[in-house]
Amino acid sequence: MSDLHSITDNSKSFAPITEFAKNANVTPEKYKELCEKANTNYADFWGELAYNNITWNKNFNSVLNESEAPFYKWFEDGELNVSYNCIDRHLNTQPNKVAIIFESDDGVVTTVTYRELYIKVCKFANGLKLLGVKKSDRVVIYMPHSIEAIVAMLSCARIGAIHSVVFGGFSAKSLADRIMDADAKYLVTVNGYMRGGKKFKVKDEVDNAIKLLPSNQLNNVIVQNRIDESCSMQIHRDEWWDDVIKNVSDICTPEFVASEHPLFILYTSGSTGKPKGVQHSSAGYLLGAILTMQWVFDYKTSDIFWCTADIGWITGHTYVCYGPMAVGATQVIFEGVPTYPNASRFWQIIEKHKVSVFYTAPTAIRALIKLGADLPNQSDLSSLRLLGTVGEPINPQAWRWYYETIGKSRCPIVDTWWQTETGCNMLAPLPGVTALKPGSCTFPIPGIFAGIVDENGHNVGLGGSGSLVIKKPFPSQFRTVWGDNERFKSAYFPVEIANSKYYLAGDSAHLDADGYFWVLGRLDDILKVSGHRLDTMEIESALASHPSIAEAAVVGKPHDIKGESVFAFVVCKNGKSPTPDTVESLKTELRNWVGNEIGAIAKPDDIRFGDNLPKTRSGKIMRRLLRNIARGEAITQDISTLENPSSIEQLQRE
Ligand code: PRX
């Protein structure tokens, strides 16, 4: 978690940029009007927005049904199709507008218009239907960032199937766990892909995952032939994408579904060691994506929008797949990494495609500063008009560099706070209205009633710090944890906080004297490593499943570029700690083990061995002490009451 002073010290504010504000979608007057409406008539506020922004097949009468709170239902009796809203409704007005500019790892550019996207989606949707995919079936998508991944998602939405995208960096084991939890019968993947100049053989990984599944789990695996690489194809089960779309019609009537129909499940780390399937609705989620494109990203039809997030994360769902498509934007999708072939790649892409709105993560900004703070000056970045960040707090130094070197002090930065669970931006500046403070995500957007409360659910007031909550239900919030309503209730709507009325975000936050929100970090055992959410318990159980390891505890350590890094303390079985000769090889083995169990993003940077972990007499691991050790801080607290005080000294030694 960030130290309050390191992020709030430098709290100079930046008034809205006049040139920008003149043409902003939300002016101060509009903002006032939206807030007043949300305050005085909440249901009308959301009802009107939903009516005006979504194309409905059947209109709704009920805006919000709270009878089974916290299982809220929005626009319940309405019917829509999300892919229709993302594609078909643009076909009359802008069929030839470019929807996607795709740049591959090696710089090859492919563009797809809305009309072409429509045909691709209809064909793949028909192909899925031919294979037997039906409304509500789960389809797992394990693909790199690509046009086809978006086509696969929108095709599922078209036929009412529920997709679950699994980030390509997750291991075979993580993929298998997610397929089983969702009970998916279909998997869409690729033979392989190139990223950062390296080849990834995805189908091999998929085959390893399939070995972990019951033999009848998957009906079909659809494989897109993405690179020139052979792979095994099991007859009757594995089908090439091109064969699936070969003899099908390019018209697919959308399946209109009820507003609450699940659009997708996206697995994310919780703090119990088991990833949870965050289940989103159709209409409420779509509305959040559309409104934030307009309000926060100030979407204009002439924009070239670029969100750098991978499709495997919520940011890729909302601001690559659904948000930009639903408003009819032209967007850039980049397959590669910011540092390949060199650290100018992002800036060159902005110049080449004339990107006007650029949305990325603080970790990427910090890495690029380190690799060449002056490099952006070699590219023409004059097309930019708005910048955004997401995923973790941004430190004021990185913010200023982003503002000055990338935005040339003429582009507002929208620091957007939100979560997989909230579906879209919740706290963020409205760029034509809000004065910015570097490191603060400023205020809740209209209709979002956020607060910072103490452990009893009472407001902390200006200058206070506490737990971030959202006090009223909102349309884009997730509907449940897939298959686990109890976990949904107890983790997010605990009785202790306002008698289950508030949504508990799990973040600690500070409210400054001007009422600005500063999100400091997680209150639970979740880490944010390069903006990716990792559960310490999941890493611990991965480590403890290694044959030589008896016990493990994982904490976060502040990291200049990643924000946080994974620091593991491990105890070997039978007290057999490695010798100086074997320690490095065991560390490498454990890192690879975690890579295989979860994915490369979860590999610990630091591993320290000990005979014991510091525990209280009741057996609870003292993580606070481990955090002190990981950070190299002096231990000031009395440790004499520990079960094993000597463990501390040993773990402090490298
Ligand atoms: O801790 C907060 C942090 O990211 C968490 C949500 O992670 P995830 O579900 O992976 O979604 C990330 C992308 C939406 C939050 O609980 N977080 C997200 N955005 C910010 C942030 N922390 C500070 N400032 C932000 N702008």
Side-chain angles (χ1 to χ4, degrees):
M1 191 187 300
S2 308
D3 164 27
L4 182 58
H5 294 290
S6 75
I7 69 162
T8 60
D9 259 4
N10 203 346
S11 56
K12 173 178 182 294
S13 86
F14 291 72
I17 294 160
T18 320
E19 269 313 293
F20 188 98
K22 264 200 264 173
N23 298 312
N25 292 345
V26 182
T27 56
E29 298 71 43
K30 171 100 194 264
Y31 177 64
K32 201 163 153 243
E33 191 191 307
L34 285 167
C35 293
E36 271 169 15
K37 181 110 201 215
N39 275 323
T40 51
N41 196 335
Y42 199 61
D44 272 8
F45 170 82
W46 285 115
E48 209 173 280
L49 289 168
Y51 181 77
N52 291 335
N53 286 285
I54 289 176
T55 306
W56 296 91
N57 183 50
K58 174 173 169 268
N59 216 338
F60 59 90
N61 289 309
S62 156
V63 174
L64 170 62
N65 175 351
E66 300 184 79
S67 62
E68 291 170 50
F71 299 96
Y72 301 104
K73 296 187 181 69
W74 286 91
F75 323 118
E76 209 181 350
D77 52 343
E79 274 180 20
L80 76 164
N81 179 279
V82 172
S83 99
Y84 183 95
N85 274 271
C86 290
I87 312 172
D88 306 40
R89 69 166 165 172
H90 307 309
L91 293 181
N92 283 335
T93 49
Q94 47 171 48
N96 299 321
K97 181 172 180 179
V98 170
I100 301 172
I101 303 169
F102 172 76
E103 178 156 332
S104 69
D105 195 51
D106 58 2
V108 178
V109 175
T110 314
T111 57
V112 176
T113 63
Y114 273 91
R115 171 93 203 143
E116 289 162 344
L117 184 65
Y118 167 80
I119 292 171
K120 280 178 187 291
V121 168
C122 284
K123 285 190 140 204
F124 193 63
N126 280 330
L128 289 175
K129 284 210 286 196
L130 262 186
L131 289 174
V133 183
K134 295 192 183 54
K135 181 179 173 190
S136 300
D137 281 352
R138 273 79 62 208
V139 177
V140 166
I141 299 172
Y142 186 59
M143 297 177 94
H145 206 45
S146 55
I147 295 172
E148 286 74 14
I150 295 179
V151 169
M153 293 164 80
L154 291 171
S155 300
C156 288
R158 192 154 194 96
I159 61 174
I162 304 168
H163 63 68
S164 182
V165 183
V166 175
F167 172 58
F170 279 126
S171 67
K173 166 122 188 347
S174 297
L175 173 62
D177 288 347
R178 285 157 174 76
I179 292 172
M180 280 193 281
D181 192 85
D183 193 17
K185 297 281 178 205
Y186 301 88
L187 173 65
V188 188
T189 189
V190 292
N191 55 345
Y193 65 95
M194 298 296 294
R195 194 155 191 260
K198 283 194 236 135
K199 186 187 281 181
F200 293 85
K201 293 182 170 188
V202 182
K203 181 60 170 44
D204 290 357
E205 196 71 359
V206 165
D207 290 340
N208 289 333
I210 292 175
K211 287 185 198 133
L212 305 172
L213 300 173
S215 60
N216 61 350
Q217 180 67 55
L218 290 174
N219 294 348
N220 290 111
V221 178
I222 302 159
V223 187
Q224 191 224 341
N225 186 25
R226 184 154 198 82
I227 53 168
D228 188 16
E229 178 74 33
S230 63
C231 65
S232 72
M233 294 290 282
Q234 185 176 304
I235 192 151
H236 301 313
R237 188 197 64 201
D238 298 353
E239 303 278 351
W240 290 107
W241 174 296
D242 286 346
D243 292 338
V244 169
I245 59 169
K246 202 177 257 163
N247 294 316
V248 294
S249 158
D250 56 13
I251 296 174
C252 174
T253 310
E255 172 87 34
F256 290 101
V257 297
S259 297
E260 284 296 315
H261 181 71
L263 178 63
F264 65 84
I265 306 166
L266 182 59
Y267 283 86
T268 191
S269 300
S271 53
T272 63
K274 185 174 178 280
K276 50 192 169 192
V278 168
Q279 178 190 318
H280 275 285
S281 70
S282 294
Y285 169 81
L286 181 67
L287 181 61
I290 294 172
L291 294 177
T292 49
M293 282 299 296
Q294 292 166 352
W295 294 349
V296 180
F297 294 107
D298 192 54
Y299 169 68
K300 303 278 193 286
T301 49
S302 54
D303 272 328
I304 308 286
F305 185 82
W306 183 21
C307 163
T308 65
D310 189 277
I311 207 81
W313 308 110
I314 190 68
T315 311
H317 280 57
T318 310
Y319 298 108
V320 178
C321 187
Y322 292 108
M325 303 286 90
V327 298
T330 297
Q331 67 166 324
V332 171
I333 294 180
F334 171 46
E335 182 181 35
V337 295
T339 49
Y340 178 82
N342 59 56
S344 289
R345 188 74 188 263
F346 269 10
W347 320 130
Q348 288 165 351
I349 291 179
I350 291 173
E351 173 176 330
K352 184 160 149 194
H353 303 299
K354 302 204 168 21
V355 171
S356 56
V357 179
F358 179 62
Y359 189 32
T360 196
T363 185
I365 297 169
R366 289 191 298 262
L368 291 170
I369 294 174
K370 190 153 183 202
L371 290 168
D374 291 332
L375 283 179
N377 296 329
Q378 295 170 7
S379 297
D380 175 4
L381 304 180
S382 58
S383 56
L384 288 172
R385 64 178 198 92
L386 178 69
L387 303 172
T389 72
V390 60
E392 50 176 323
I394 181 165
N395 48 312
Q397 297 75 10
W399 192 99
R400 277 171 185 278
W401 180 84
Y402 197 32
Y403 189 77
E404 287 160 13
T405 308
I406 305 304
K408 312 289 182 215
S409 304
R410 46 169 200 80
C411 305
I413 296 180
V414 289
D415 177 346
T416 60
W417 175 89
W418 58 296
Q419 307 178 296
T420 306
E421 294 87 339
T422 67
C424 68
N425 302 162
M426 294 279 107
L427 302 173
L430 299 185
V433 177
T434 319
L436 310 172
K437 290 192 187 187
S440 164
C441 51
T442 71
F443 306 105
I445 61 170
I448 299 302
F449 288 78
I452 301 178
V453 297
D454 62 20
E455 58 278 11
N456 300 316
H458 299 133
N459 284 337
V460 295
L462 296 182
S465 297
S467 185
L468 183 60
V469 295
I470 300 176
K471 297 182 171 180
K472 287 192 183 186
F474 51 97
S476 71
Q477 76 189 119
F478 76 127
R479 296 303 192 252
T480 191
V481 173
W482 179 257
D484 199 346
N485 285 347
E486 273 315 305
R487 190 171 175 193
F488 172 75
K489 275 205 287 197
S490 60
Y492 296 98
F493 297 90
V495 186
E496 311 83 74
I497 308 267
N499 205 14
S500 302
K501 286 217 162 47
Y502 294 173
Y503 167 81
L504 183 67
D507 277 328
S508 131
H510 171 72
L511 198 65
D512 77 10
D514 302 321
Y516 278 67
F517 286 69
W518 300 78
V519 175
L520 307 174
R522 300 288 311 181
L523 285 165
D524 51 16
D525 291 328
I526 291 176
L527 305 183
K528 275 280 167 156
V529 178
S530 300
H532 301 322
R533 195 161 144 173
L534 293 173
D535 173 8
T536 52
M537 277 178 67
E538 202 187 351
I539 307 173
E540 286 165 7
S541 49
L543 284 165
S545 69
H546 184 277
S548 326
I549 303 303
E551 202 178 12
V554 166
V555 296
K557 176 185 171 185
H559 187 283
D560 277 357
I561 291 174
K562 299 184 196 181
E564 266 185 306
S565 66
V566 178
F567 198 121
F569 296 88
V570 289
V571 177
C572 289
K573 278 189 183 150
N574 310 321
K576 282 192 194 142
S577 283
T579 62
D581 286 347
T582 58
V583 67
E584 285 311 317
S585 66
L586 183 56
K587 281 185 184 175
T588 308
E589 194 179 320
L590 291 176
R591 280 193 191 107
N592 291 338
W593 181 270
V594 173
N596 284 331
E597 289 287 301
I598 304 175
I601 47 169
K603 287 183 182 180
D605 276 16
D606 298 87
I607 301 180
R608 214 166 266 187
F609 297 93
D611 297 335
N612 284 299
L613 296 175
K615 289 183 185 161
T616 59
R617 296 239 157 98
S618 59
K620 193 170 164 281
I621 297 174
M622 294 292 289
R623 285 166 193 284
R624 193 146 37 96
L625 294 177
L626 292 176
R627 261 180 229 119
N628 291 141
I629 298 174
R631 292 168 185 215
E633 293 165 354
I635 292 183
T636 47
Q637 110 185 53
D638 176 17
I639 56 169
S640 59
T641 55
L642 289 184
E643 176 72 30
N644 42 11
S646 61
S647 60
I648 297 285
E649 213 177 295
Q650 189 192 23
L651 290 171
Q652 277 173 322
R653 275 185 254 128
E654 174 47 293

